Amino acid sequence: MRLDLLPRARRSPWLDLLSPALAFLAAVLIGGIAVAALGVSPGQAFLTYFVAPLSEIWSLQEVALKAAPLALIATGLAFCYRANLWNIGAEGQFVAGGLAGGWVAVAAHGSQGVTLWILPAMLLAGTLAGIAYAMIPALLRVRLGVSEILTSLMLVYVAQLLLDYMVRGPLRDPQGYNFPQSVGFDEAARLPLLMEGESLHAGVLISFLGIVLAALVLARTLFGFEVRAVGASPRAARFAGFSDARLTLAVFAISGGAAGLAGICEVAGRIGQLQPEISPGYGFTAIIVAFLGRLSPPGILLAALVIALTTIGGEGAQIDLKLPLDLTRAFQGLLLGLVLGADVLTRYHVRIVPGGANTRVTP
């Protein structure tokens, strides 16, 4: 028996709009069954996961602070994925950006007269470092035909080990009692808070502006049309004169720059110094966010908020309900699978053909 996927002659815009919501409801239902099997009330789990994080100011700020880097990284990745290029190494580019920008802050620590330029220099250094790190797999693909999936992924571990070495060696605080961390950044090297006495900082605004800019580029520019054209029909795009090599370098630069900028915003915002670990896995989670948001900047912003909400809720459920944190990660993976499955069903008819062995997609 074989399954054939036949494109629908007409796609319902309402079904396209509702399918992510239906997938989310299905994920909640399956998650509720899993929670009940663990001996916890599904209703109480729902309140802890999805309602409690929205009930207090501090938890709302935490949702925004977690969603901001996810949305910014995922928006950059969307350029790659729309062009059928697979940057899996945003985590490494995030770390590279945080390390380069943090290096600038450490080098200027305690200097006089750096107030005006230090923060812009850190943001620029972080963005350029992310771009440079993303150019490695891009150039290897363009020049040598090496898979960007493997190279970008392996470079993640190189960046993480380099950060670990730097904070234990050259950048370690000499007055830090041998702890593996740099000196605390000067006040001028920290992103300003949006509200006095709260934790929300300007990195959230930077992420939002980046998402708005990306939406305009994709929707209103020739480059955005090129990205969409190559993703929809690579052969037709070549006939139209679009360069694969140039586009590869451009979209990797955008995704790497976005990840690097998110990295330095995280270091100069919440952390305030370099540490052996500066990311809880934002670069990998952003891949889920990009596809949950259907590679669209507005959708990515919404998906980032949902993932951040479930993450904060999962931490609360771990404390209040004694549920494992891995359950949250499983829910996020389940949600991605259901959304992608719903997309397939809205675009294709499924036909069962006797005698075949494989699934076939008919163009």
Side-chain angles (χ1 to χ4, degrees):
M1 183 177 66
R2 186 183 73 231
L3 297 180
D4 278 359
L5 299 179
L6 306 176
R8 295 181 182 273
R10 295 182 61 185
R11 291 175 56 185
S12 168
W14 287 106
L15 192 58
D16 282 346
L17 186 64
L18 289 175
S19 62
L22 296 175
F24 179 78
L25 291 176
V28 170
L29 178 62
I30 296 172
I33 294 173
V35 166
L38 294 173
V40 176
S41 166
Q44 184 62 42
F46 179 84
L47 291 175
T48 303
Y49 269 98
F50 302 109
V51 178
L54 302 177
S55 62
E56 297 188 39
I57 294 296
W58 72 266
S59 55
L60 286 172
Q61 292 182 61
E62 286 298 311
V63 169
L65 288 170
K66 284 190 177 294
L70 288 174
L72 183 56
I73 300 169
T75 300
L77 290 175
F79 281 85
C80 279
Y81 299 159
R82 277 177 173 263
N84 286 327
L85 294 164
W86 305 100
N87 181 5
I88 310 298
E91 180 78 359
Q93 293 141 32
F94 179 97
V95 171
L99 174 58
W103 197 338
V104 174
V106 172
H109 178 70
S111 301
Q112 300 297 322
V114 299
T115 304
L116 294 179
W117 63 264
I118 183 62
L119 191 56
M122 291 169 59
L123 296 176
L124 179 62
T127 303
L128 292 178
I131 292 173
Y133 211 65
M135 285 296 98
I136 300 174
L139 288 170
L140 288 173
R141 174 187 170 88
V142 169
R143 298 299 183 186
L144 302 176
V146 180
S147 168
E148 74 276 17
I149 298 175
L150 295 177
T151 52
S152 62
L153 180 59
M154 289 188 294
L155 284 168
V156 171
Y157 305 104
V158 175
Q160 291 173 337
L161 290 172
L162 178 61
L163 172 65
D164 187 84
Y165 164 75
M166 294 300 290
V167 298
R168 294 178 188 275
L171 299 182
R172 186 174 61 189
D173 182 5
Q175 306 299 324
Y177 301 99
N178 213 31
F179 283 101
Q181 61 190 28
S182 73
V183 296
F185 295 170
D186 295 332
E187 191 64 28
R190 300 289 303 272
L191 287 170
L193 297 176
L194 298 182
M195 295 183 290
E196 190 66 32
E198 303 292 345
S199 59
L200 205 63
H201 58 70
V204 175
L205 291 182
I206 293 173
S207 295
F208 181 74
L209 291 176
I211 294 168
V212 172
L213 179 60
L216 292 175
V217 169
L218 283 172
R220 302 291 183 182
T221 66
L222 178 61
F223 175 73
F225 172 75
E226 181 179 354
V227 171
R228 299 196 308 272
V230 170
S233 180
R235 188 177 179 187
R238 292 190 196 100
F239 279 117
F242 295 139
S243 168
D244 286 348
R246 184 178 62 83
L247 183 66
T248 298
L249 296 176
V251 295
F252 265 84
I254 291 171
S255 60
L261 179 59
I264 184 54
C265 285
E266 184 73 7
V267 170
R270 304 188 70 178
I271 302 176
Q273 62 180 170
L274 289 175
Q275 301 172 350
E277 294 184 4
I278 61 174
S279 170
Y282 284 137
F284 293 121
T285 307
I287 299 173
I288 297 177
V289 171
F291 284 102
L292 283 179
R294 294 181 167 183
L295 306 182
S296 163
I300 284 172
L301 178 59
L302 179 60
L305 290 170
V306 170
I307 292 297
L309 176 66
T310 59
T311 301
I312 299 299
E315 293 172 355
Q318 185 182 25
I319 296 171
D320 298 336
L321 305 179
K322 310 305 181 203
L323 290 173
L325 192 59
D326 288 340
L327 186 65
T328 301
R329 300 190 181 98
F331 175 82
Q332 293 170 351
L334 173 66
L335 179 59
L336 174 62
L338 290 173
V339 168
L340 295 179
D343 277 350
V344 170
L345 294 178
T346 58
R347 297 180 183 185
Y348 298 96
H349 290 290
V350 180
R351 185 178 66 180
I352 300 176
V353 180
N358 301 312
T359 300
R360 183 177 69 186
V361 179
T362 303

